[in-house]
Amino acid sequence: MSKIKKDKSTEERILAAAKKIFVMKGMAGARMQDIADEAGINKALLHYYFKNKEKLFEVIFLEAAGKLFPKINEIFLADKPLFEKIESFCAEYISIVMENPYLPLFVLNEINQDPEYFLSKVWKGKNLPMPEKFLAQIEQEVAKGKIKRISPLHLLMNLISMTVFPFVAKPMFQKNLGLDELQFRSVMEQRKKEIPGFIIDAIKK
Amino acid sequence: MSKIKKDKSTEERILAAAKKIFVMKGMAGARMQDIADEAGINKALLHYYFKNKEKLFEVIFLEAAGKLFPKINEIFLADKPLFEKIESFCAEYISIVMENPYLPLFVLNEINQDPEYFLSKVWKGKNLPMPEKFLAQIEQEVAKGKIKRISPLHLLMNLISMTVFPFVAKPMFQKNLGLDELQFRSVMEQRKKEIPGFIIDAIKK
DNA sequence: GTCTATAATTTGATAGAC
DNA sequence: GTCTATCAAATTATAGAC
């Protein structure tokens, strides 16, 4: 701690500013000047802290991806009954993303720019997604006759789609359904129960 | 028809090139040079046909949005039984998007850049989304005791999410689930039946 | 309509003073 | 660490010949 009692270190303010601008405009659309302005500094100082735009972007992107992917992998690896997994995934994922509603679109969009590069960045070494266990668990439930004969792959896609997509299409849903910020939050809060209930109704015998 | 028998007019080639580049890189990331190269012409000619980048982009964006939104509005306005609506929506929407899998992410991303502006462009005047009828129809089915007591809003979100999201997250799903191009298409083909079946199981009494 | 050459502007990045 | 001033490269857009 070289410095005491300042609201926020310059680096912290840069990172907060960069996150805001990058998530809003994307890598290509973001301007170093905008980030500097947002952080209350100038471009030179920005480059002093982060050598170039690419380096700064990588920090922001990896932090964003780090908020979204581990939670998905958790559901793959956890040692819990199927229904519990689905319930806790919806609730926890929505809670996390509700604080940063635009992260999923940001991350998915950048991944789309160069899937190989970005996906390798996301889980280089560890953190690899292992959906096999989860898919096998569904198979077993089917085999045991606990749930309907459903394709594990499609069930997984349905779960993730219903949980994540409303955030990706947030402006569209808000405009078309006439939801203000508060109402949108409320709807997403409901979905923590609504989605698991919907799935259970769909697959229970 | 001033000219006869040429593979493709210059304007057509420009539009095809612009679509490819804009959809791949987004408005901010696309380069006029790339579009010119892709079309086999030079930048000057590109500006001769379309005054500037913004104008060209608008044409592409509106065409893309025009492929995605009317189909959604159709389900809102059509005069058909609920189940039929859901079935035909899934099948038709997936068929349309399968030929341009990256359109949804492109459109959603640009809308996110400036929701007011882009959404006003999409349905200026006509083409306004009218979800009320569809939501009311669900209410009625519930009231008549035909289906479970479910929130119309959430059912609508679930339907659209399950249909659209796999395209938005295409690279992620492909990488994580180990699907090549052909397998992905096959999975989406299955979903034309899988999604309606899933929904029916979830809401039928 | 199409091209070459070039202007005009934006923007990422650096030099050097304090 | 932070700033001002400036450069160098990239990129949109135009002028003008054919």
Side-chain angles (χ1 to χ4, degrees):
Chain A
M1 306 286 182
S2 57
K3 299 196 181 179
I4 302 172
K5 188 159 174 27
K6 55 176 182 282
D7 359 315
K8 250 185 175 179
S9 77
T10 301
E11 184 170 354
E12 283 173 319
R13 278 187 297 129
I14 289 175
L15 288 172
K19 179 179 173 181
K20 177 175 173 182
I21 301 295
F22 275 132
V23 170
M24 191 160 41
K25 308 278 198 72
M27 165 63 175
R31 298 290 156 246
M32 293 297 268
Q33 185 64 61
D34 297 337
I35 296 173
D37 290 347
E38 180 74 28
I41 57 171
N42 57 38
K43 276 190 297 179
L45 193 55
L46 191 52
H47 280 90
Y48 172 80
Y49 276 87
F50 296 90
K51 181 143 187 57
N52 54 41
K53 189 180 174 182
E54 205 180 346
K55 291 268 198 301
L56 178 55
F57 175 79
E58 196 173 298
V59 173
I60 302 300
F61 174 80
L62 287 178
E63 196 218 320
K67 281 192 180 151
L68 302 180
F69 287 90
K71 187 53 67 181
I72 291 184
N73 217 16
E74 220 171 79
I75 192 182
F76 291 156
L77 300 175
D79 222 18
K80 289 194 293 188
L82 183 60
F83 285 167
E84 276 184 40
K85 273 191 186 178
I86 292 174
E87 276 175 349
S88 62
F89 170 74
C90 286
E92 291 171 30
Y93 201 86
I94 288 174
S95 285
I96 290 172
V97 180
M98 196 110 76
E99 274 143 56
N100 299 275
Y102 300 105
L103 278 196
L105 181 55
F106 167 69
V107 170
L108 287 172
N109 195 54
E110 299 298 339
I111 284 177
N112 207 240
Q113 301 297 310
D114 189 347
E116 286 303 322
Y117 177 74
F118 283 112
L119 285 175
S120 74
K121 286 275 178 193
V122 171
W123 39 68
K124 65 174 167 192
K126 70 174 178 74
N127 212 4
L128 283 139
M130 310 291 306
E132 297 81 10
K133 184 174 175 180
F134 182 67
L135 296 174
Q137 185 176 18
I138 298 171
E139 288 274 27
Q140 285 162 22
E141 297 292 302
V142 172
K144 284 192 287 184
K146 299 279 190 182
I147 61 174
K148 282 211 187 83
R149 208 185 60 64
I150 188 183
S151 153
L153 185 65
H154 287 288
L155 178 54
L156 174 59
M157 277 190 173
N158 291 347
L159 170 62
I160 296 181
S161 297
M162 288 189 287
T163 307
V164 180
F165 187 73
F167 291 106
V168 174
K170 181 171 183 280
M172 194 190 75
F173 276 135
Q174 285 193 270
K175 184 89 174 183
N176 291 353
L177 301 173
L179 306 173
D180 63 29
E181 210 58 41
L182 213 62
Q183 290 170 318
F184 180 82
R185 288 186 66 91
S186 164
V187 168
M188 293 313 298
E189 198 61 48
Q190 293 163 18
R191 288 182 75 75
K192 291 180 180 177
K193 299 289 180 191
E194 200 74 34
I195 297 170
F198 190 81
I199 292 177
I200 288 172
D201 284 344
I203 67 179
K204 72 155 182 265
K205 276 189 146 168
Chain B
M1 304 285 187
S2 58
K3 298 197 179 178
I4 302 172
K5 189 160 174 30
K6 55 177 183 283
D7 0 315
K8 252 185 174 178
S9 76
T10 302
E11 184 170 354
E12 284 174 320
R13 278 187 297 131
I14 289 175
L15 287 172
K19 179 180 172 182
K20 177 176 172 182
I21 301 296
F22 275 131
V23 170
M24 191 158 44
K25 309 278 197 71
M27 164 64 175
R31 297 290 157 247
M32 292 296 268
Q33 184 65 62
D34 296 337
I35 295 173
D37 292 347
E38 180 73 28
I41 57 170
N42 57 40
K43 277 188 297 179
L45 193 55
L46 190 53
H47 280 88
Y48 172 79
Y49 276 88
F50 297 89
K51 181 145 189 56
N52 55 41
K53 187 180 174 182
E54 204 180 346
K55 290 267 196 304
L56 178 54
F57 175 79
E58 196 173 299
V59 174
I60 301 301
F61 174 80
L62 287 179
E63 196 218 320
K67 281 192 180 151
L68 302 180
F69 287 91
K71 187 52 70 181
I72 291 183
N73 218 15
E74 220 171 80
I75 192 182
F76 291 157
L77 299 175
D79 221 19
K80 289 194 294 189
L82 183 60
F83 285 168
E84 276 183 40
K85 272 191 185 176
I86 292 173
E87 277 176 349
S88 62
F89 170 75
C90 285
E92 291 171 28
Y93 202 87
I94 289 174
S95 284
I96 290 172
V97 180
M98 197 109 78
E99 273 141 55
N100 300 276
Y102 299 105
L103 279 196
L105 181 55
F106 166 68
V107 170
L108 287 171
N109 194 55
E110 300 298 340
I111 284 177
N112 208 240
Q113 301 297 310
D114 187 346
E116 286 303 322
Y117 177 75
F118 283 112
L119 285 176
S120 73
K121 287 274 179 194
V122 170
W123 39 67
K124 65 175 165 191
K126 69 174 179 73
N127 212 2
L128 283 139
M130 310 291 306
E132 297 80 11
K133 185 174 174 180
F134 182 68
L135 296 173
Q137 185 175 18
I138 298 171
E139 290 272 28
Q140 285 162 20
E141 297 292 301
V142 172
K144 284 191 288 183
K146 298 278 191 181
I147 61 175
K148 282 210 188 86
R149 210 186 58 65
I150 188 181
S151 153
L153 185 67
H154 287 289
L155 178 54
L156 174 60
M157 278 190 172
N158 292 346
L159 170 62
I160 296 182
S161 296
M162 288 189 287
T163 306
V164 181
F165 187 73
F167 292 106
V168 174
K170 182 172 183 277
M172 195 191 74
F173 276 136
Q174 284 194 270
K175 185 89 173 181
N176 291 353
L177 301 172
L179 306 172
D180 62 30
E181 211 56 42
L182 212 63
Q183 289 170 318
F184 180 81
R185 287 187 65 90
S186 164
V187 168
M188 293 313 297
E189 199 61 47
Q190 294 163 18
R191 288 182 75 74
K192 292 181 182 177
K193 299 290 180 192
E194 201 74 34
I195 297 170
F198 190 80
I199 292 177
I200 289 172
D201 283 344
I203 67 179
K204 73 154 182 264
K205 276 190 148 168

